[in-house]
């Protein structure tokens, strides 16, 4: 029943992402049919740096709906069920999560919060409880099997599993939704675990599609001020009230 650490891996993204976004933007301002320029974009006849510059400048104007044509897919492990519940609140995305109904937690992995890990007595009590949970789950599952539940035993025994139980998830988001995700979850006010997920995803996006994500992150990073009220500001940037 080991402690698990976060792992975020890139799986896939829409092919020819930069050219696709460039073409989608151009169609909004171009009298012709962008399908006719598509072969030139793919061949490099239109310099990729020109495409990237156009996309970046258009994004800065606030026009961002064309980036929905491109999506990223990530595989994530080493997060708690508590963290996954925050992630799936982002509705414009697709998720495939490890099922506690079909996957038996015979050796439950878990996530240990850093604030608990650094206090010896808190860590000891936390790990003791994880052991108690594991024992209760295993006992209940076996009792249910013995009483004929067989493969259905998992779905009832799982009711004792904690928010700390580790889970794995495959997640796909389009680029507009990713920016929104980063605005909220890279913020210093975001919960530590989901912020770590968002930071790892952002680094991947910056590497794979810099024209779109170099300036990605918490909203304050683009605005140059904190959009929160003074009550909730972390202090990294001045609030709107202080710069107006």
């Amino acid at each position: 029943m080991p402690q698990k650490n976060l792992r975020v891996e890139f799986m896939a993204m829409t092919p020819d992402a930069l050219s696709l976004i460039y073409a989608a933007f151009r169609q909004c301002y171009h009298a012709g049919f962008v399908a006719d320029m598509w072969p030139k974009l793919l061949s490099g006849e239109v310099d990729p740096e020109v495409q990237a510059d156009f996309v970046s400048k258009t994004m800065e104007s606030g026009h961002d709906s064309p980036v929905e044509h491109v999506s990223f897919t990530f595989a994530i492990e080493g997060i708690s069920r508590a963290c996954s519940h925050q992630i799936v609140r982002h509705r414009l995305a697709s998720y495939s999560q490890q099922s506690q109904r079909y996957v038996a937690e015979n050796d439950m992995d878990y996530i240990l919060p850093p604030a608990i890990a650094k206090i010896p007595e808190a860590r000891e009590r936390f790990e003791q409880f994880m052991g108690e949970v594991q024992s209760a789950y295993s006992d209940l599952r076996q009792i249910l099997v013995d009483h004929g539940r067989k493969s259905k035993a998992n779905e009832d025994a799982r009711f004792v599993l904690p928010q700390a139980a580790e889970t794995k998830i495959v997640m796909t988001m389009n680029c507009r939704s990713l920016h929104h995700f980063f605005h909220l979850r890279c913020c210093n006010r975001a919960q530590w675990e989901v912020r770590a997920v968002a930071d790892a995803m952002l680094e991947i996006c910056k590497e794979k599609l810099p024209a779109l994500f170099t300036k990605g992150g918490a909203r304050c990073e683009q605005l140059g001020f904190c959009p929160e009220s003074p009550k909730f500001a972390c202090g990294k940037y001045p609030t709107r009230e202080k710069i107006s």
Side-chain angles (χ1 to χ4, degrees):
M1 193 177 68
Q3 175 189 348
K4 288 291 291 258
N5 295 316
L6 174 65
R7 182 182 174 192
V8 178
E9 296 288 343
F10 170 77
M11 292 186 71
M13 64 184 290
T14 305
D16 306 307
L18 177 61
S19 293
L20 180 56
I21 292 171
Y22 175 81
F25 272 125
R26 284 294 306 274
Q27 187 64 86
C28 297
Y29 309 110
H30 181 53
F33 185 36
V34 295
D36 295 331
M37 74 167 70
W38 185 242
K40 297 179 181 179
L41 298 179
L42 295 184
S43 68
E45 189 173 334
V46 179
D47 190 340
E49 290 189 10
V50 171
Q51 298 181 46
D53 185 62
F54 181 84
V55 167
S56 296
K57 289 180 178 178
T58 309
M59 285 283 290
E60 289 174 2
S61 74
H63 183 194
D64 61 0
S65 59
V67 305
E68 292 179 1
H69 295 292
V70 168
S71 65
F72 280 73
T73 299
F74 303 89
I76 303 168
E77 74 166 357
I79 59 171
S80 66
R81 297 287 294 195
C83 182
S84 73
H85 288 313
Q86 295 182 77
I87 291 173
V88 301
R89 295 298 184 272
H90 293 266
R91 296 176 179 83
L92 296 181
S94 298
Y95 305 101
S96 300
Q97 186 171 5
Q98 186 179 63
S99 172
Q100 290 179 334
R101 185 183 183 197
Y102 295 107
V103 178
E105 296 282 3
N106 293 322
D107 189 23
M108 182 190 73
D109 296 327
Y110 61 85
I111 309 305
L112 177 64
I116 293 177
K118 68 182 182 180
I119 304 172
E121 59 267 36
R123 179 169 187 154
E124 181 181 1
R125 184 65 186 95
F126 183 91
E127 292 179 340
Q128 178 187 15
F129 180 69
M130 291 300 106
E132 293 166 0
V133 167
Q134 181 66 77
S135 178
Y137 174 87
S138 299
D139 289 347
L140 285 168
R141 186 176 179 277
Q142 188 58 54
I143 290 168
L144 290 165
V145 168
D146 293 343
H147 283 74
R149 289 291 283 166
K150 297 182 180 178
S151 62
K152 297 291 184 71
N154 293 348
E155 69 181 35
D156 297 321
R158 64 179 167 163
F159 276 70
V160 300
L161 296 175
Q163 293 271 37
E166 188 262 352
T167 191
K168 300 172 178 65
I169 191 168
V170 173
M171 170 184 180
T172 299
M173 273 189 178
N174 70 53
C175 290
R176 195 182 194 187
S177 293
L178 278 167
H179 270 292
H180 177 68
F181 181 79
F182 297 144
H183 287 167
L184 299 178
R185 303 304 187 174
C186 292
C187 175
N188 284 338
R189 291 191 61 235
Q191 185 256 357
W192 62 269
E193 189 179 12
V194 76
R195 186 169 69 246
V197 173
D199 287 345
M201 289 170 54
L202 177 58
E203 288 307 306
I204 292 171
C205 289
K206 285 180 177 180
E207 176 190 348
K208 299 294 183 181
L209 195 52
L212 219 62
F213 291 103
T214 294
K215 297 181 180 180
R219 190 66 175 142
C220 60
E221 300 292 347
Q222 291 86 46
L223 296 174
F225 64 87
C226 176
E228 300 279 356
S229 69
K231 178 181 178 181
F232 297 111
C234 73
K236 184 177 181 180
Y237 285 90
T239 59
R240 188 194 306 268
E241 290 82 357
K242 290 185 177 180
I243 64 172
S244 60

